[in-house]
Amino acid sequence: MKSYLENINKAFESRARLGIMSVLMVDERVDFNTLKDTLQLTDGNLASHLRALEEAGYLHVEKQFVGRKPNTTYQASDLGREAFKTHLDALEQLILSNRKEN
Amino acid sequence: MKSYLENINKAFESRARLGIMSVLMVDERVDFNTLKDTLQLTDGNLASHLRALEEAGYLHVEKQFVGRKPNTTYQASDLGREAFKTHLDALEQLILSNRKEN
């Protein structure tokens, strides 16, 4: 297998997860509804992708109350930032290798 | 949603499919075993990704016999080439946008 393909990380494959990580690389801490609006995902779909990223150790999740309303915020972990950068580097290699050969 | 995310194509999301298309962008016509060896996939896994890409209209499949042995070859269609380029452009936008903002 071409070596860059090995660094393509299954955890980030889907468009939704690429989108989530891209938002969290920029903004320190983002709440559920902001992610939902930005990425135009359903509650269930977004929640399931966030859970997968949390289980991989790529996100920190914080549940708190704003007044009486529960508010959950998400933050990329250091591990998540590193892993996402590695993934983007692998994608870049893939793109460069395609451009070079065509 | 950020506009480049809309051009990320679900049909190419997985590492296997990125690998298949990368090989087929370079080599005009590739047989099953070559793809299997290059990408280090199992028969079942490779066959299922190839079928999905064929159903999307991104591959031409040709079944023939070499002597008495069946030999199936795969070729990227024009539609597949265009779609894959659009996908890579969207990934490039994602990468650039991440680099700019961090």
Side-chain angles (χ1 to χ4, degrees), chain B residues 69 83 97-98:
Chain B
K69 277 181 74 176
S97 141
N98 269 279

Side-chain angles (χ1 to χ4, degrees), chain A residues 11-66:
Chain A
F12 301 129
E13 265 176 10
S14 75
R15 176 163 81 178
R17 297 198 198 163
L18 290 171
I20 291 167
M21 291 305 296
S22 295
V23 172
L24 296 182
M25 294 294 275
V26 180
D27 295 321
E28 186 66 9
R29 184 173 283 286
V30 180
D31 67 18
F32 190 89
N33 285 329
T34 305
L35 281 171
K36 192 182 138 183
D37 293 344
T38 308
L39 302 170
Q40 292 172 17
L41 295 170
T42 62
D43 282 35
N45 197 1
L46 175 58
S48 111
H49 287 299
L50 287 169
R51 198 160 41 239
L53 291 169
E54 185 190 1
E55 279 164 10
Y58 295 157
L59 299 186
H60 296 307
V61 181
E62 202 174 303
K63 295 180 190 207
Q64 43 189 21
F65 280 81
V66 177

Side-chain angles (χ1 to χ4, degrees), chain B:
Chain B
M1 194 186 297
K2 295 183 184 187
S3 61
Y4 57 79
L5 283 178
E6 288 170 24
N7 282 328
I8 288 181
N9 186 336
K10 248 192 139 35
F12 302 130
E13 265 176 12
S14 75
R15 177 164 80 177
R17 297 198 197 163
L18 290 171
I20 291 167
M21 291 305 296
S22 295
V23 172
L24 295 182
M25 294 293 275
V26 181
D27 296 321
E28 185 66 8
R29 184 173 283 287
V30 180
D31 68 18
F32 189 89
N33 286 328
T34 304
L35 281 172
K36 192 182 138 183
D37 293 344
T38 308
L39 302 170
Q40 292 170 17
L41 295 170
T42 62
D43 282 35
N45 197 2
L46 175 57
S48 112
H49 287 299
L50 288 169
R51 198 160 41 239
L53 291 169
E54 186 190 2
E55 279 165 9
Y58 295 157
L59 298 185
H60 296 308
V61 181
E62 202 174 304
K63 295 180 191 210
Q64 43 190 21
F65 280 81
V66 176
R68 291 192 181 176
K69 277 181 74 176
N71 184 49
T72 307
T73 56
Y74 301 86
Q75 188 177 15
S77 66
D78 289 345
L79 182 66
R81 288 181 173 271
E82 276 315 303
F84 192 59
K85 279 181 193 161
T86 301
H87 181 72
L88 294 185
D89 287 344
L91 290 177
E92 186 178 42
Q93 288 303 309
L94 175 97
I95 293 165
L96 291 175
S97 141
N98 269 279
R99 298 246 164 94
K100 201 172 56 193
E101 287 165 343
N102 284 285

